[in-house]
């Protein structure tokens, strides 16, 4: 029982950190708790627990704009997941790494990581996670100006999310599609997809997103001289 005490303390740190991230958005305290948990798991030679903590810590560092530390944590965790062949956590880690590298302007590396995450999730038959990887691929292709590739992946993601009745993410996916059409100079399909996005957000009970949709619509109509 005494031997289990450090592990119990580490799990308590871990739980407090999750609460801070999910409920209070207190990222500095969350980082402190995650670091405390990771140090104890390392001392107890609990590699996978430490890797799980490192992934969460990398995600919080990313939100806090500390990209170097985020990359270090995610790489350390990824090595453990690969060694132990824990594919689900590896796919999540690759997805977080893709987001990180997109923020760092390394979109080509992001594409590689999102593609790996998609393939792993398809292998695991994790349909929702595979669809999210497709959506991330589409968004990243858009950042690179590869608009046809962006539309191809986003439309694939939309079909999969529709089959899962994931209306919140469908709304976001349709909003991304609208943005790509707008970048292509095609305002009519952009407006159509914004309307579809609004419908999905409504079905998801997420009317808070309507303000974003209305703002984008107003911007398009203003450019067309139809709204002043």
């Amino acid at each position: 029982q005494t031997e289990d005490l450090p592990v119990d303390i580490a799990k308590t740190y871990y739980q407090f950190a999750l609460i801070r991230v999910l409920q209070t958005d207190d990222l500095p305290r969350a980082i402190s708790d995650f670091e405390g948990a990771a140090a104890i798991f390392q001392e107890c030679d609990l590699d996978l627990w430490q890797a799980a903590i490192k992934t969460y810590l990398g995600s919080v560092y990313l939100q806090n704009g500390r990209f170097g530390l985020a990359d270090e944590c995610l790489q350390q965790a990824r090595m453990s997941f690969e060694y132990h062949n824990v594919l689900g956590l590896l796919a999540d880690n690759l997805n977080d790494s893709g987001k990180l590298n997109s923020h760092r302007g390394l979109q080509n590396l992001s594409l590689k990581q999102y593609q790996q995450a998609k393939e792993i999730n398809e292998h695991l038959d994790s349909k929702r996670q595979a669809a999210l990887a497709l959506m991330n691929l589409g968004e990243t292709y858009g950042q690179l100006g590869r608009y046809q590739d962006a539309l191809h992946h986003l439309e694939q993601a939309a079909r999969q999310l529709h089959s899962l009745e994931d209306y919140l993410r469908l709304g976001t996916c349709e909003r991304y599609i609208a943005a790509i059409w707008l970048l292509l100079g095609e305002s009519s399909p952009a407006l159509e997809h914004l309307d579809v996005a609004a419908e999905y957000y409504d079905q998801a009970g997420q009317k808070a997103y309507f303000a974003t949709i209305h703002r984008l619509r107003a911007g398009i109509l203003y450019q067309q001289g139809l709204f002043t």
Side-chain angles (χ1 to χ4, degrees), residues 1-223:
Q1 295 235 333
T2 306
E3 292 176 359
D4 292 337
L5 184 59
V7 175
D8 290 339
I9 293 171
K11 289 179 180 178
T12 301
Y13 275 130
Y14 174 57
Q15 290 165 355
F16 275 128
L18 288 179
I19 290 169
R20 294 189 204 288
V21 171
L22 297 174
Q23 296 182 8
T24 69
D25 204 31
D26 187 350
L27 298 185
R29 291 288 297 277
I31 287 171
S32 176
D33 288 340
F34 276 136
E35 287 175 340
I40 294 172
F41 286 133
Q42 184 176 14
E43 288 177 9
C44 295
D45 200 27
L46 293 171
D47 188 37
L48 281 175
W49 268 101
Q50 184 190 3
I53 295 289
K54 287 284 186 179
T55 293
Y56 278 117
L57 190 53
S59 180
V60 176
Y61 278 139
L62 171 58
Q63 293 177 61
N64 216 31
R66 299 165 72 178
F67 297 155
L69 287 170
D71 186 47
E72 181 181 325
C73 286
L74 289 169
Q75 284 196 48
Q76 289 175 359
R78 190 157 60 250
M79 288 173 61
S80 178
F81 296 144
E82 288 172 344
Y83 178 79
H84 292 285
N85 199 36
V86 184
L87 297 181
L89 292 178
L90 175 59
D92 290 343
N93 180 289
L94 286 163
N95 184 63
D96 286 342
S97 297
K99 290 178 184 176
L100 167 64
N101 286 311
S102 183
H103 280 291
R104 298 170 82 190
L106 302 172
Q107 273 77 14
N108 286 318
L109 180 54
S110 291
L111 288 176
K112 179 180 177 182
Q113 290 169 328
Y114 287 143
Q115 181 65 29
Q116 288 177 302
K118 181 183 83 73
E119 291 171 0
I120 291 171
N121 283 311
E122 287 174 344
H123 172 73
L124 296 173
D125 200 30
S126 299
K127 293 182 172 62
R128 180 171 280 101
Q129 295 305 112
L132 293 180
L134 277 168
M135 193 160 71
N136 287 331
L137 281 165
E139 185 182 12
T140 307
Y141 277 123
Q143 292 169 0
L144 288 170
R146 294 172 59 177
Y147 300 136
Q148 294 303 324
D149 287 324
L151 287 173
H152 172 70
H153 285 82
L154 289 170
E155 287 165 359
Q156 277 190 332
R159 286 194 293 272
Q160 292 190 25
L161 290 168
H162 189 273
S163 71
L164 297 166
E165 299 183 353
D166 190 337
Y167 297 118
L168 174 57
R169 291 186 176 91
L170 257 173
T172 301
C173 191
E174 289 290 340
R175 185 158 52 87
Y176 289 164
I177 293 172
I180 297 299
W181 279 114
L182 191 57
L183 288 167
L184 287 167
E186 298 288 344
S187 57
S188 293
L191 288 168
E192 290 172 9
H193 283 282
L194 283 177
D195 288 342
V196 174
E199 291 175 11
Y200 285 136
Y201 283 140
D202 188 34
Q203 286 180 273
Q206 297 291 331
K207 295 187 177 181
Y209 288 92
F210 283 11
T212 300
I213 298 295
H214 292 321
R215 187 166 58 250
L216 291 169
R217 281 181 57 83
I220 295 170
L221 294 172
Y222 180 81
Q223 288 178 358

